[in-house]
Amino acid sequence: MDVETEIGKLASEAMATQIVLAGLLNAINKSGPDGRAIVADAFRHADLMTEVSIATLGKYGGLVEYERQLAKVVEKLRSAVLSDAPQPDP
């Protein structure tokens, strides 16, 4: 097994999942007030789970880059869902 190829496959799978999730949340968000409330609640939950994950990692020495990326991905998804324009990678 080529490690770089496997990493590329996993990254592609993660990106595809994010794209589908952003599209789904965007459609729900545009469906009306109830949809916007559901999406807002989903992101509050994501923020909480991110904080819990980072706190848990911190107990065990943490993975600083992982922590940064976790929060960054949630924020990129939030931005993509709440905007009509596709968001470029930073």
Side-chain angles (χ1 to χ4, degrees):
M1 174 194 314
D2 178 21
V3 174
E4 286 186 31
T5 300
E6 191 63 25
I7 290 171
K9 286 180 184 179
L10 292 171
S12 295
E13 289 175 16
M15 180 61 80
T17 301
Q18 291 173 25
I19 290 168
V20 171
L21 179 60
L24 176 62
L25 288 172
N26 190 285
I28 293 168
N29 191 53
K30 290 180 178 180
S31 70
D34 289 341
R36 285 190 293 279
I38 289 167
V39 170
D41 198 38
F43 279 111
R44 278 192 294 275
H45 180 76
D47 291 338
L48 176 63
M49 296 312 298
T50 298
E51 289 176 20
V52 168
S53 294
I54 289 171
T56 301
L57 285 170
K59 282 183 181 178
Y60 301 102
L63 300 169
V64 176
E65 187 57 30
Y66 174 80
E67 294 170 2
R68 266 190 238 123
Q69 288 299 317
L70 182 59
K72 187 176 177 180
V73 168
V74 170
E75 194 51 44
K76 282 177 62 177
L77 282 170
R78 183 189 329 270
S79 180
V81 167
L82 300 179
S83 168
D84 287 334
Q87 301 297 309
D89 286 332

